[in-house]
Structure formats: structure tokens, C-alpha cells
Amino acid sequence: MDDDVKIGLEVHVHITALKTKLFCSCPSDYTGKDPNTVTCPVCLGLPGAIPVLNENAVKYGILTALALNCQIAEKLIFDRKHYFYPDMSKNYQISQYDGPGSMAIAKDGYIKLNDKIIRIRRINIEEDPAKIVYPTGSILTSKYTLLDYNRSGTPLLEIVTEPDLRSAKEARFFLEKLRSILEHLGICDCSIEAAMKADVNISVKGGERVEVKNVGSPKDVEDAINYEIARQRASVLQGINIKRETRHWDNERRVTVPLRTKETEEDYRYFPDPDLPPYSITPELIEKFKREMPELPDQRAERFVKQYNITPYQAQVLVNEKALADLFEEITNKYKNYTKVANLLINDYMRWLNENNITVTQSKAKANHIIELFEYLDSGLISIKIIKELLPEMILTGKTPGQLIKEKGMTNIKDENYLEKIIDEVLNEEKEAVEKAKRDPKVVNYLVGMVMKKTGKRADPQMTVEMIKQKLGLA
Ligand code: ZN
Ligand code: MN
């Protein structure tokens, strides 16, 4: 922990659960659509177009507020946040201001990070502006810019923390936990590109606060903060004044670059939008959503420890990503060695995914493939070493372990005479097991394993099983 560092986050979450935009009926999913084709007078910001609130957004705002232990406003008020920028043709964004005469949907909450409390200052609902495209380079180098209004008006939650974070790593953990909570609430499919973005405020002792805009993933946030801490500390040491400014995270070069000096809140001239009447949030409505509240990551981790007898650390890692926790439960629904499954998923599967920048949802290794892998391991047909070899290919190709074992000739001895010789040797040496196997077919696996041992795991599994069964009169 770095005591001279203060970090606060402003996280923008795309409410992907909503099928239409925040104030009009255009679809909010514009994936694959031509630029500026998913628009209407409202989300283009044409004069005289009247916004109408998508009431489902209120539900997701309240669910998030409850999950983050916030106080919920009695009234939902939308404000105009004025600024002049090409991504917002009406020159204001419809957002929520937390100040005199206005209120955000929720405030004063927290997220627990192990034993530490990270306070949530407020949550508000707002519309996304249009997307600015830089066709011939980056924001700093492109010769011209284009505007795509498909994104304009899509629903966002803005979640703002107090400056309680003290290191890049902590900020990353916070975002991962927040992401998992939002996924469990069903609000955000965070595997969608740019579904969650953060503005990062960082200051070191002796300097002003610097904001880094629009950082994509938790990993990028971690890197951007590490870069800023080093840069700001070096400036302070050299006696250079750190001024209040907004910077941009250059994802390619992995550095931050100056963008502009920061506006203050007064510059935005917030006032309640006269087109949108206040929407009252009754205690009954909050109670209704409390009852609809799904299981959240912390509760799920607790349940995992009790139900599957795994360690709290393992449970924590698994629930950190909803898709991973789901995969774990899908596998253990059929394959009951819980610790073995947890270990494989945490140590081998996730490590490889992280190193190769692939998400659980993108992985083609599905639950039944991994179950099959364990069955091969238990029957002694393959070793844990081969599992580690097979896993990356299963993830990339979606092929079953059986297919891969065959293709790679990992068990390539199919010579019947040779196999028979080895099997006879084993049956001779393992008289006790042979007797057991006649009563309990499961013991056949043990005999197969012994054949594998003798052949350096290269005996054809299917042939070996069949030949042993035949010899024992079980076929
Ligand atoms: Zn529209
Ligand atoms: Mn915002």
C-alpha cells in the first residue's frame, strides 16, 4: 500500500440488460450495424424531440444501489449537463447531478474488498454520447474525426467512489469485484467490448489530482495507475508542479498523455431537465426489488465454501468472474471431486486464459469437455501433465479431450499383439485387482492405469479397456 497515493474511480457501465436506449425506443445493441443507422430524433438530439424515460433503467439503478449498500433517493431527477463537444449535438448530456435541488439515484454506499471498505459516493443514470471515430490514427494524431450516433442515448450507470483506493492493484481488484457484482445482477454483460470503462483520479502527496479518461479493462486501469504514480512521483521529486489536468490512456504505447485542463463542476451549468418529470421511487418499489435480488458474489463465495468444502481463497477467485463460477458449478454438478475441479480451474485454466487474454466466455472448452478430461485422468489414461498440454487446445479449438488424444498420438499404441502382451503382464502381476474387477467394474480403471504406466501412457485407451474387459469376461 502506498500511503502517499489517493485513487478514486468513476466507472461507466453500459446497462446491456436494457434492450432499448434510455430515452427513446431505438435498440441499444447496435453491434454490426452501419454507423448512424440506429438513431431517431431523440438520440440524434434534434430540436423539439422529447425524451421519455425507459423505466426499466430505474430497476437496474435500484438493484445496483442495493447491492452496493447505498441510500436510495426518493425521487429520480434528471439534469442537463452542458458541454460543447461534437459527440453531443444538443450540447448537453442528460445525467443526474448530486447537488442543491437535484439528487443522484443513490449515494453513500460501499464495496468490501477483503476487510477494507471502499466507499461509493454516488450512482447515477445517464445517457452515453455518440462515438467519435479517429480514422487515420489516434485522438491526438488523426487528421479528421467521424461521429457515429448509434451509441448516443444508450443507458449508462455512473458509479463514483471516494478516493479510498491506495494502489493500482487495489483499484484493479475493486473493478473486478464491481464487474462480478454487476454480472450477478444481470445488468451488464461485461465481456462485451467497452461495456465497462473507468475514469481514474490519481494524486500523490504534493500534487494536484490528475484524471485519466476512458480506461478500458481492470488490467489497463492497473497499468495506467502505475504509470501515473511513477510519473507524478518523479515530477514531485524534481520540484515540478503537478497541475490539475485530464489525460488520455494510450492503450498501444501503455502511457498517459495530456488532453486538456479540467473543467470544474460549475462549467457544466447543471439544471433539471424540464422535459423529464421527476420519477418517484416508493419504498414499495424498493422492497419489490429487494425480493428480486439474486445471489451476489460474496454470498456465493460463502456458499461455495460450505457446499463444496473448498477454501475461502478458492471460492473468492471463482466468484470473481461469474462465468467462471458458473463453469465450476456446471462441472461439479456431475463431477464431484470439488477441490480437484477448483484447482484445475484456478491454477491451469484461468492462468492460461489470463496469459493469453481470453475470457471464460470466449473459451471453447465447455463443462462436459473438462468433465471428460477428469474421467481420463481418473482412469489413468492420461496424466496431469497431459491435461496441462491438452487444456490450451481445448480452449482454442473446442475439440474434446478424446479427439485430441487421438490426433496427437498421445496414446498411440494400437498394436494388438503388443498390447496383449502388456495386458497379460499386468493381469499376472495384479491378481488381487483382477478378482476385485470381476465384482466391481470400476477397478478395471485401475488395471488400465497399470497398462498405461508400463507403456508410458501411450496405449490406446479404448482398445486397452475393451481388451481387459474381454479377458476378464466383462465385455
Ligand atoms: Zn433513438
Ligand atoms: Mn458520466
Side-chain angles (χ1 to χ4, degrees):
M1 268 338 94
D2 310 298
D3 279 337
D4 67 324
V5 177
K6 277 188 183 161
I7 302 161
L9 299 173
E10 264 181 60
V11 188
H12 283 107
V13 179
H14 184 182
I15 311 176
T16 57
L18 288 180
K19 296 303 161 221
T20 54
K21 292 185 180 181
L22 192 50
F23 299 113
C24 62
S25 55
C26 293
S28 64
D29 182 2
Y30 47 86
T31 323
K33 296 279 165 37
D34 285 340
N36 297 308
T37 56
V38 187
T39 58
C40 73
V42 171
C43 55
L44 283 171
L46 299 186
I50 299 291
V52 177
L53 176 65
N54 180 346
E55 284 186 46
N56 286 323
V58 181
K59 167 180 164 182
Y60 293 117
I62 292 175
L63 280 176
T64 306
L66 290 170
L68 304 190
N69 312 291
C70 291
Q71 291 176 24
I72 297 168
E74 289 165 15
K75 243 191 251 163
L76 198 59
I77 295 170
F78 285 97
D79 297 272
R80 295 183 175 182
K81 177 184 182 178
H82 296 83
Y83 64 90
F84 179 73
Y85 208 61
D87 64 2
M88 193 56 89
S89 59
K90 58 187 188 295
N91 288 343
Y92 59 85
Q93 176 192 26
I94 306 177
S95 179
Q96 294 191 286
Y97 181 54
D98 188 39
S102 290
M103 55 185 110
I105 185 166
K107 58 182 183 179
D108 299 334
Y110 64 88
I111 286 183
K112 253 178 142 177
L113 225 51
N114 296 320
D115 287 328
K116 191 173 169 179
I117 298 277
I118 308 299
R119 289 170 298 159
I120 304 293
R121 183 181 297 169
R122 63 176 162 82
I123 302 172
N124 57 264
I125 302 173
E126 63 186 29
E127 57 176 344
D128 211 355
K131 190 178 171 189
I132 304 182
V133 184
Y134 305 98
T136 64
S138 73
I139 186 170
L140 297 165
T141 62
S142 187
K143 292 197 182 68
Y144 63 98
T145 57
L146 295 175
L147 288 165
D148 180 2
Y149 273 82
N150 286 353
R151 195 181 73 183
S152 174
T154 51
L156 299 179
L157 284 179
E158 184 180 80
I159 300 167
V160 183
T161 76
E162 296 290 345
D164 289 345
L165 298 156
R166 290 288 172 271
S167 73
K169 194 142 247 134
E170 212 170 64
R172 179 185 177 165
F173 289 156
F174 173 86
L175 284 173
E176 286 175 348
K177 180 143 192 191
L178 177 62
R179 183 177 61 186
S180 182
I181 291 171
L182 294 166
E183 284 175 344
H184 278 84
L185 289 171
I187 287 176
C188 179
D189 176 356
C190 297
S191 65
I192 291 175
E193 173 141 354
M196 194 167 130
K197 281 179 294 187
D199 299 342
V200 190
N201 286 289
I202 314 160
S203 65
V204 302
K205 210 172 184 176
E208 288 263 8
R209 175 157 65 91
V210 171
E211 183 179 26
V212 185
K213 278 271 181 207
N214 281 329
V215 195
S217 68
K219 175 81 178 76
D220 290 345
V221 167
E222 184 182 10
D223 291 352
I225 292 173
N226 277 328
Y227 179 87
E228 267 307 299
I229 291 175
R231 187 188 69 82
Q232 292 182 27
R233 276 188 184 150
S235 299
V236 170
L237 281 176
Q238 291 164 25
I240 301 168
N241 246 347
I242 300 171
K243 54 182 190 303
R244 193 159 169 192
E245 66 171 343
T246 301
R247 297 175 73 89
H248 163 74
W249 170 244
D250 185 331
N251 210 15
E252 299 297 312
R253 289 159 51 218
R254 316 298 292 168
V255 298
T256 68
V257 287
L259 211 56
R260 59 175 181 262
T261 49
K262 176 77 182 156
E263 309 88 345
T264 56
E265 274 190 348
E266 295 84 78
D267 295 339
Y268 289 130
R269 304 270 167 195
Y270 283 99
F271 69 77
D273 191 322
D275 288 339
L276 289 155
Y279 182 99
S280 99
I281 300 174
T282 60
E284 290 75 32
L285 196 64
I286 297 173
E287 278 312 310
K288 176 176 173 283
F289 292 137
K290 264 188 194 163
R291 285 192 301 272
E292 286 178 21
M293 185 64 84
E295 186 182 44
L296 293 172
D298 281 347
Q299 301 161 312
R300 197 172 189 191
E302 254 174 61
R303 175 170 65 79
F304 276 15
V305 171
K306 277 190 213 127
Q307 186 175 343
Y308 302 113
N309 208 16
I310 58 177
T311 68
Y313 169 77
Q314 287 174 320
Q316 208 64 57
V317 176
L318 289 171
V319 302
N320 210 27
E321 214 175 321
K322 181 173 179 290
L324 182 65
D326 291 346
L327 181 66
F328 173 77
E329 295 215 88
E330 215 183 323
I331 295 171
T332 52
N333 188 24
K334 294 207 182 92
Y335 185 80
K336 304 291 178 190
N337 194 330
Y338 308 130
T339 298
K340 218 155 139 184
V341 177
N343 282 333
L344 183 88
L345 289 184
I346 293 168
N347 299 331
D348 302 300
Y349 181 77
M350 271 321 277
R351 183 182 299 161
W352 198 88
L353 288 185
N354 286 336
E355 281 170 7
N356 293 278
N357 235 336
I358 296 173
T359 64
V360 176
T361 348
Q362 287 165 340
S363 159
K364 291 182 177 163
K366 301 300 171 204
N368 53 340
H369 298 174
I370 294 172
I371 293 169
E372 188 186 330
L373 204 56
F374 280 121
E375 283 166 352
Y376 280 124
L377 181 73
D378 289 346
S379 69
L381 291 182
I382 54 171
S383 64
I384 192 82
K385 190 174 157 281
I386 288 188
I387 281 204
K388 288 176 189 182
E389 259 180 74
L390 291 178
L391 212 45
E393 292 206 43
M394 290 167 55
I395 292 167
L396 290 173
T397 66
K399 287 183 181 166
T400 67
Q403 262 174 301
L404 287 169
I405 288 168
K406 228 181 226 167
E407 274 178 28
K408 297 166 86 67
M410 278 168 161
T411 54
N412 58 359
I413 298 174
K414 293 194 176 196
D415 180 332
E416 217 168 302
N417 293 331
Y418 178 75
L419 277 183
E420 183 159 23
K421 191 179 133 252
I422 305 283
I423 289 170
D424 284 343
E425 264 175 47
V426 168
L427 297 186
N428 253 326
E429 288 162 16
E430 302 283 347
K431 293 223 161 62
E432 211 176 312
V434 167
E435 285 314 306
K436 270 191 201 158
K438 285 178 182 165
R439 293 187 304 272
D440 179 5
K442 273 189 221 143
V443 183
V444 171
N445 290 339
Y446 168 76
L447 295 169
V448 173
M450 296 315 289
V451 173
M452 287 298 156
K453 211 169 160 187
K454 275 186 187 282
T455 57
K457 303 190 168 53
R458 288 173 56 246
D460 182 86
Q462 218 170 349
M463 277 178 74
T464 308
V465 175
E466 275 165 22
M467 285 171 75
I468 290 177
K469 280 187 175 168
Q470 211 146 35
K471 283 192 180 279
L472 299 184
L474 297 168

